Amino acid sequence: SSPDSSPSRLSLPSRSAAPNVDDTMLSLTVAGKAHAMAEKPIDPTQHLVSFNPKYEQLWAPILGPSHPYVKDGLALGLRNHKLGFVDNASIEPFAFDEQYNTFYKFGYAADPSENSCVGDVEGFKKNEGISVYNIPQHEQKKRKLEKKKEMLEENEAAGDHQVDEAELQNPATDTWLVKNRKSPWSGKKDLLQEELTEEQKKYAEEHAKKAEKDAAGRGGKGEAHVDKSTFHGKEEKDYQGRSWVAPPKDAKANNDHCFIPKRLVHTWSGHTKGVSAIRFFPKHGHLILSASMDTKVKIWDVFNSGKCMRTYMGHAKAVRDIWFSNDGTKFLSAGYDKNIKYWDTETGQVISTFSSGKVPYVVRLNPDEDKQNVLLAGMSDKKIVQWDMNTGQITQEYDQHLGAVNTITFVDNNRRFVTSSDDKSLRVWEYGIPVVIKYISEPHMHSMPSISLHPNSNWLACQSLDNQILIYGTRERFQLNKKKRFAGHVVAGYACQVNFSPDGRFVMSGDGEGRCWFWDWKSCKVFRTLRCHQGVCIGCEWHPLEQSKVATCGWDGLIKYWYVRTDL
């Protein structure tokens, strides 16, 4: 009633403008259409299906001859065989074979999809549904009796005519086969050995000769390769008739004091691949021998021309190790072709070849003068094999290591030798007795691919792959000298050679970065390093007479000669 109050509102009844619809009839109509669509086969010409069809609808045959996609009541998309549609059935191989063989024997088989038979129904009823694998017991006995009756009739027919006794005793005749039908060889005639023709005999002889030649050429089990050698010098003998191998008469040691080299004197280049080992000529050092991964061994002049004197080609693969005899007139070479060759240094002829069928990693001759015919080789099959080179026979095998043998070092006046292996152990052997007298293996030890004997024969320097050189005594106990340890270089993964100076004052070794390291023996301190090679410096040798000269070799294929002048 106040002027500030809102006006009153009128409430009118709601009214719908939509017509009334019978929901019951609508739902029945929709359901009927859906049911009709669900039962109706799908038209293959339409590209859109507005409902989820059942499996039966998707694969139902389209009836009616007027339809373009119909042939024999099957849509073209359903045909997977030239005769129509073939449905896969899961059946065991044994059951399939049984029904397959039964059908071809009796003319009927069981239908796996239904409990019925396919084929000759009358035969199925007559045989009571038996298959080839379940013949009744009485049927088996009946067949055995029929078979026995047939055999008796055949024997009677054979007895009607006179049988030759010789044919009856000869297994190669039909008469013997008929008489001995139960023999496991029944029905088979033994082929008698006929004499070889002249052509076959000739071929067999040639094959035997070739096999014998191959076996002799490869020493039993190694790879065969032609042995040859080339001399590169001016003449093999001088005007006095001396061989090029003979040492110079004036070659002698200048003094007993060794000096560390400083500068490069000479570089020998001739190998096409890395050099794996170098050895100076024993006692004089006027020649240096080198083994390379290019399968060749070369010998170089040190004192005069500095050129390659001879190349030895006898290995099919890379050469692993070389070793001179005491007088230097002969040397050994070991290659990855599983052969060990014994060469004449002067003429380049191969005296003999040895092989055990495994790769030799190290070769050594017994240092005693009266045992220069004894060869020891550390093999890849964990053995040290000993040959007598005069007879070519294996006289001993030292088989205790658990890995490939890397080094052999004679100690104690050559009565014993020390070996190292990939099994990270050292073993000491009595020469000629395959029993380990000392076994050195510690948890902290690494593999030692190079060992060198000190000039006083009391110590062994062992190149350990944990980047240090360890010293072991050669006395009875072979103890580790914990006070002497040489480190600083990087050799992990490389079998870099370790060596001593002739006076024993210095230890030297190559490393994986191409340097050569020198340590003082007493203080164990690094004395000097030389940058020698591009890549790995794998070997180093001190000259036996000229105490200030050192040779190094590397995987760059070069051999370098270093020295320091001592006459200033």
Side-chain angles (χ1 to χ4, degrees):
S1 60
S2 69
D4 297 331
S5 63
S6 60
S8 62
R9 294 179 180 178
L10 298 175
S11 59
L12 299 176
S14 61
R15 186 176 288 183
S16 174
N20 293 327
V21 178
D22 189 356
D23 295 341
T24 306
M25 289 300 295
L26 180 64
S27 61
L28 289 174
T29 304
V30 172
K33 288 183 179 180
H35 181 69
M37 290 184 68
E39 295 299 329
K40 181 182 177 182
I42 298 174
D43 184 4
T45 59
Q46 71 183 64
H47 299 286
L48 181 66
V49 180
S50 59
F51 64 97
N52 290 332
K54 295 182 181 179
Y55 176 84
E56 290 77 9
Q57 284 179 276
L58 285 174
W59 295 97
I62 300 176
L63 303 177
S66 61
H67 200 282
Y69 289 91
V70 171
K71 184 177 181 182
D72 299 333
L74 283 174
L76 291 178
L78 296 177
R79 299 176 65 84
N80 61 1
H81 192 267
K82 62 182 181 180
L83 300 178
F85 177 74
V86 177
D87 192 11
N88 292 326
S90 178
I91 183 170
E92 289 292 329
F94 175 79
F96 176 81
D97 292 342
E98 181 183 16
Q99 298 305 321
Y100 179 84
N101 294 324
T102 302
F103 183 82
Y104 277 95
K105 185 170 181 64
F106 298 119
Y108 58 84
D111 188 352
S113 60
E114 300 177 7
N115 191 14
S116 63
C117 121
V118 177
D120 186 6
V121 181
E122 295 296 328
F124 180 80
K125 294 178 180 178
K126 181 181 178 182
N127 293 330
E128 298 179 354
I130 64 170
S131 70
V132 292
Y133 291 162
N134 59 2
I135 299 175
Q137 193 75 20
H138 66 277
E139 187 72 20
Q140 293 180 11
K141 288 182 180 180
K142 184 179 177 182
R143 292 188 181 185
K144 285 183 180 179
L145 290 171
E146 290 177 357
K147 196 171 183 182
K148 191 174 182 181
K149 188 176 180 181
E150 289 177 5
M151 289 178 62
L152 288 172
E153 289 176 356
E154 288 179 3
N155 290 337
E156 289 175 1
D160 291 343
H161 58 83
Q162 190 65 27
V163 179
D164 188 6
E165 189 66 27
E167 290 186 2
L168 196 60
Q169 299 296 328
N170 187 4
T173 61
D174 293 332
T175 308
W176 185 90
L177 291 175
V178 171
K179 194 71 177 176
N180 298 273
R181 288 287 294 265
K182 292 183 180 180
S183 168
W185 297 278
S186 176
K188 301 177 183 177
K189 291 187 178 182
D190 294 340
L191 294 175
L192 299 176
Q193 180 66 38
E194 299 178 0
E195 288 191 8
L196 297 176
T197 63
E198 292 297 325
E199 186 178 356
Q200 289 174 331
K201 287 180 181 178
K202 185 178 178 181
Y203 177 79
E205 290 174 2
E206 289 178 355
H207 182 74
K209 286 181 181 178
K210 185 178 179 182
E212 185 178 349
K213 186 177 179 181
D214 290 346
R218 64 178 68 134
K221 300 165 187 173
E223 295 183 22
H225 194 267
V226 179
D227 302 323
K228 58 182 180 178
S229 177
T230 306
F231 182 70
H232 305 291
K234 291 182 179 179
E235 51 188 3
E236 296 195 20
K237 295 188 182 293
D238 63 3
Y239 69 97
Q240 289 182 330
R242 291 181 301 183
S243 169
W244 63 274
V245 179
K249 292 184 178 180
D250 57 346
K252 58 181 180 180
N254 296 331
N255 51 49
D256 296 332
H257 199 76
C258 292
F259 298 91
I260 302 293
K262 289 183 180 179
R263 51 178 285 211
L264 181 65
V265 187
H266 187 73
T267 301
W268 291 287
S269 60
H271 288 294
T272 57
K273 292 184 180 179
V275 181
S276 52
I278 52 174
R279 301 283 184 267
F280 274 112
F281 195 92
K283 298 177 184 175
H284 299 92
H286 64 291
L287 299 170
I288 186 170
L289 190 70
S290 63
S292 172
M293 299 174 193
D294 62 4
T295 74
K296 297 181 178 67
V297 178
K298 291 178 180 286
I299 193 164
W300 315 77
D301 181 49
V302 176
F303 279 1
N304 301 316
S305 64
K307 295 181 179 179
C308 178
M309 299 300 291
R310 188 179 278 281
T311 301
Y312 308 88
M313 294 165 284
H315 289 281
K317 293 182 180 178
V319 185
R320 165 80 183 207
D321 194 23
I322 47 177
W323 193 256
F324 270 116
S325 61
N326 284 358
D327 57 3
T329 58
K330 301 176 184 64
F331 70 89
L332 291 166
S333 66
Y336 283 98
D337 58 356
K338 304 177 184 177
N339 285 329
I340 302 169
K341 293 185 182 286
Y342 192 43
W343 301 82
D344 186 294
T345 310
E346 181 181 357
T347 63
Q349 297 295 319
V350 175
I351 301 170
S352 52
T353 303
F354 309 93
S355 177
S356 68
K358 302 296 179 181
V359 177
Y361 283 170
V362 57
V363 285
R364 292 291 183 270
L365 290 173
N366 191 308
D368 286 341
E369 290 294 339
D370 60 340
K371 295 187 180 68
Q372 283 288 285
N373 64 315
V374 177
L375 158 66
L376 277 84
M379 314 302 287
S380 60
D381 64 345
K382 315 168 191 176
K383 295 180 182 177
I384 300 104
V385 183
Q386 179 178 313
W387 276 277
D388 184 347
M389 292 194 293
N390 293 340
T391 62
Q393 300 296 319
I394 295 176
T395 57
Q396 191 62 268
E397 284 188 353
Y398 306 84
D399 186 10
Q400 291 286 323
H401 275 293
L402 305 176
V405 181
N406 293 323
T407 66
I408 300 173
T409 310
F410 280 89
V411 297
D412 194 16
N413 293 325
N414 307 325
R415 292 196 298 263
R416 301 172 181 171
F417 61 92
V418 181
T419 59
S420 67
S421 165
D422 286 346
D423 61 9
K424 304 178 184 179
S425 70
L426 294 177
R427 297 175 197 250
V428 186
W429 314 76
E430 288 277 359
Y431 170 73
I433 303 173
V435 178
V436 175
I437 62 172
K438 181 70 177 180
Y439 170 59
I440 305 169
S441 179
E442 299 292 340
H444 59 78
M445 285 177 63
H446 287 69
S447 181
M448 299 178 182
S450 176
I451 295 179
S452 182
L453 183 65
H454 193 277
N456 65 12
S457 302
N458 292 332
W459 305 101
L460 286 174
C462 305
Q463 183 81 269
S464 180
L465 286 187
D466 58 349
N467 299 329
Q468 60 180 345
I469 298 173
L470 303 177
I471 306 299
Y472 286 87
T474 59
R475 300 298 180 187
E476 291 297 326
R477 301 184 64 185
F478 287 90
Q479 279 189 319
L480 173 66
N481 189 339
K482 296 181 180 179
K483 294 182 180 179
K484 288 194 180 295
R485 175 180 166 274
F486 304 91
H489 58 323
V490 179
V491 292
Y494 303 103
C496 297
Q497 184 183 357
V498 60
N499 223 320
F500 286 98
S501 61
D503 62 356
R505 292 177 57 240
F506 299 106
V507 180
M508 70 172 176
S509 168
D511 78 347
E513 298 173 350
R515 290 174 295 193
C516 187
W517 292 68
F518 297 87
W519 292 270
D520 183 72
W521 170 252
K522 287 187 176 179
S523 65
C524 301
K525 293 181 179 178
V526 177
F527 203 93
R528 183 172 297 153
T529 59
L530 293 176
R531 181 71 182 179
C532 298
H533 296 274
Q534 296 293 327
V536 183
C537 177
I538 200 71
C540 54
E541 284 266 328
W542 213 295
H543 197 283
L545 291 184
E546 298 184 355
Q547 285 85 355
S548 59
K549 294 186 178 180
V550 168
T552 62
C553 67
W555 284 2
D556 54 2
L558 302 177
I559 305 163
K560 296 188 178 181
Y561 198 35
W562 307 81
Y563 92 119
V564 61
R565 296 190 63 180
T566 59
D567 55 351
L568 296 178

